[in-house]
Amino acid sequence: MFKAFLIKYGEIGIKGKNRHLFEDALVRQIKYALKPVEGEFQISKEQGRIYIEALSDFDYDEVLESLQHVFGIVGICPVVLTEDEGFDKLAEDVVSYLDKRYPDKRLTFKVNTRRARKSYPMPSMEVNAALGERILEAFADMKVDVHNPDILVNVEIRGKINIYSEIIPGPGGMPVGTNGKGMLLLSGGIDSPVAGYMIAKRGVKIDAVYFHAPPYTSERAKQKVVDLARIVAKYTGPIYLKVVNFTDIQMYIYEKCPHDELTIIMRRYMMRIAEHFANETESLGLITGESIGQVASQTMQSLAATDEVCTMPVYRPLIGFDKQEIIELSKKIGTFETSILPYEDCCTIFVAKHPVTKPSLKVIRRSETHLGEQIDEMVKTAIETAETIIVK
Ligand code: ATP
Ligand code: MG
């Protein structure tokens, strides 16, 4: 029965010039989300409102599902848009809307009229009362409840008249593209896709980098990361994924450094390489899925050691989350089932039985000197040979 949706979005912090940027980004992301949906849609901006109108048949659930992936959307209202052809016509439209939308009429309601167009000949209160009367006349089972109605019948008098009674929650946040870009270190695990989701939710566009170690890690492990990126891309738009061959670096560190420091030193090289790509593509920060104390490489000391090699900020949105909370989020956003597929990760191949949990920076720095200039060559090669996959 619906041919249009009214999109509600947050307004805090989007005054003045920012408002246009916010709205334009939101329209762009809506278009992106609707691209794979069958049907033709027209998206328009109008006085602090965004409307999506279908110009052809479409699948209602599919449209809703797609819109629920668009950050910046606070509410999705299936709306009936009608021309203003006098009060009687309006009353007819409202009654017919309720009739179709609510087959079971044993409901309480309240009419809430707003006149964005003040030239409308009746004041809002009068419209409320008059529409209420018409509804009661039409449906014997419906009753008025002004305090706690089952349905709030919104009637907004604008260019066209908007009739709606449902606000389906959107994901909130800010449209991707309104807050710069970040480089996500994306592994095949549970945490990093969730970290990417959380930062993107604040309007940040996401690029990603994945380190693999062929032949120790398989093509399927890589495919899993691409699949995870694809799920995250449903929310963020296309992701440029760099796939870095990390085998030589990892083997070389294994050969030259104490084994209990391997993970930390490896992570420092991951960060260095990720930062290189971030600079190249004008990302403003690195993003990881770390949380304090989750594993040996995520103690406060280990995080400090990893951080030391970065000059750009490292965003760790899961820093205070328990594993269970992260799992719940990953189920909610749809990455969990893919994350738990059992393919090997490059970090787990050479891990020590007893990795240091309180690495001293001094010790780590000294161990790294054993790597000499050769490691710089290897880093250079890893950067030069990285593959770029555009994931959408
Ligand atoms: P995840 O579930 O995200 O894999 P984890 O609990 O396995 O996290 P670690 O392996 O210590 O934790 O990795 C911590 C973070 O480092 C990850 O969240 C991710 O951001 C990054 N990371 C780890 N391994 C890789 C990799 N192979 N490629 C890219 N980033 C990685
Ligand atoms: Mg991992």
Side-chain angles (χ1 to χ4, degrees):
M1 66 174 280
F2 293 105
K3 292 195 190 68
F5 298 88
L6 162 62
I7 300 301
K8 300 208 166 183
Y9 48 91
E11 289 177 27
I12 297 160
I14 56 160
K15 300 212 169 74
K17 190 171 137 244
N18 286 341
R19 175 170 205 114
H20 282 289
L21 296 176
F22 186 101
E23 288 170 341
D24 290 347
L26 187 51
V27 168
R28 192 175 59 236
Q29 293 302 107
I30 289 172
K31 282 186 180 155
Y32 178 78
L34 290 178
K35 220 189 265 170
V37 176
E38 207 167 316
E40 206 186 322
F41 302 94
Q42 180 182 302
I43 296 152
S44 55
K45 273 193 325 183
E46 208 181 288
Q47 303 172 315
R49 296 270 150 140
I50 290 175
Y51 293 95
I52 301 167
E53 288 176 77
L55 306 174
S56 65
D57 285 344
F58 67 99
D59 185 314
Y60 177 84
D61 293 330
E62 202 186 344
V63 167
L64 266 193
E65 215 256 338
S66 301
L67 294 177
Q68 281 175 316
H69 284 85
V70 180
F71 295 132
I73 295 183
V74 171
I76 305 156
C77 314
V79 66
V80 170
L81 301 174
T82 65
E83 298 295 340
D84 177 12
E85 291 163 31
F87 179 80
D88 284 330
K89 171 68 169 35
L90 171 61
E92 244 171 66
D93 289 338
V94 169
V95 165
S96 130
Y97 166 80
L98 290 174
D99 195 23
K100 282 191 221 149
R101 178 61 193 81
Y102 302 100
D104 183 352
K105 303 290 183 301
R106 286 165 299 177
L107 294 164
T108 61
F109 74 94
K110 174 185 173 177
V111 181
N112 178 35
T113 304
R114 271 174 55 189
R115 286 187 315 167
R117 177 154 53 84
K118 296 293 175 205
S119 64
Y120 194 76
M122 280 163 86
S124 302
M125 294 300 269
E126 243 173 70
V127 180
N128 285 343
L131 280 178
E133 233 166 82
R134 296 289 182 97
I135 295 167
L136 291 171
E137 275 167 25
F139 309 118
D141 284 344
M142 283 203 176
K143 303 218 160 25
V144 173
D145 181 345
V146 291
H147 299 297
N148 194 18
D150 297 324
I151 39 180
L152 184 62
V153 185
N154 291 289
V155 175
E156 294 185 4
I157 300 166
R158 300 175 168 268
K160 285 185 180 173
I161 296 179
N162 297 198
I163 305 166
Y164 65 94
S165 59
E166 268 176 293
I167 305 179
I168 298 150
M174 304 186 77
V176 168
T178 53
N179 269 324
K181 193 154 72 168
M183 177 64 73
L184 170 67
L185 282 88
L186 181 63
S187 69
I190 293 170
D191 307 330
S192 46
V194 176
Y197 167 93
M198 285 184 69
I199 296 293
K201 186 172 178 214
R202 298 309 305 158
V204 177
K205 186 162 171 26
I206 300 287
D207 283 340
V209 55
Y210 165 60
F211 297 89
H212 69 157
Y216 304 97
T217 62
S218 64
E219 196 58 27
R220 287 210 302 182
K222 172 179 149 188
Q223 187 55 46
K224 172 181 166 182
V225 173
V226 174
D227 292 344
L228 284 171
R230 189 168 295 124
I231 300 170
V232 177
K234 269 201 192 178
Y235 298 91
T236 62
I239 294 177
Y240 283 68
L241 172 68
K242 288 274 183 197
V243 179
V244 178
N245 186 328
F246 205 53
T247 315
D248 290 347
I249 294 175
Q250 205 166 352
M251 304 273 272
Y252 187 59
I253 299 172
Y254 190 70
E255 188 188 316
K256 299 283 183 188
C257 301
H259 290 179
D260 61 347
E261 293 168 19
L262 175 70
T263 307
I264 296 291
I265 295 176
M266 238 174 55
R267 299 199 48 72
R268 282 161 63 96
Y269 277 95
M270 281 188 184
M271 294 307 244
R272 289 176 172 114
I273 294 171
E275 186 165 287
H276 171 90
F277 289 128
N279 278 318
E280 210 175 65
T281 55
E282 293 175 0
S283 272
L284 298 170
L286 303 177
I287 304 158
T288 76
E290 291 158 314
S291 110
I292 294 173
Q294 198 189 77
V295 288
S297 61
Q298 297 177 24
T299 62
M300 291 284 273
Q301 291 84 350
S302 299
L303 292 171
T306 318
D307 242 32
E308 194 210 18
V309 300
C310 304
T311 56
M312 52 173 73
V314 181
Y315 296 106
R316 299 179 167 99
L318 306 179
I319 200 71
F321 281 49
D322 295 343
K323 194 73 190 188
Q324 196 51 41
E325 293 171 308
I326 302 171
I327 288 175
E328 270 152 37
L329 259 173
S330 77
K331 285 182 179 163
K332 190 184 115 189
I333 70 174
T335 50
F336 182 73
E337 293 303 325
T338 306
S339 286
I340 57 173
L341 295 173
Y343 307 127
E344 63 296 317
D345 178 21
C346 79
C347 307
T348 51
I349 291 165
F350 302 98
V351 284
K353 274 214 185 72
H354 301 290
V356 280
T357 53
K358 294 182 179 156
S360 128
L361 270 179
K362 252 207 234 145
V363 174
I364 296 289
R365 279 193 212 124
R366 197 173 53 228
S367 301
E368 278 185 3
T369 62
H370 300 159
L371 298 168
E373 280 169 15
Q374 228 174 312
I375 191 80
D376 300 333
E377 271 310 305
M378 289 177 168
V379 166
K380 207 170 144 237
T381 305
I383 287 170
E384 280 167 6
T385 59
E387 177 192 2
T388 305
I389 302 175
I390 302 172
V391 184
K392 14 184 164 187

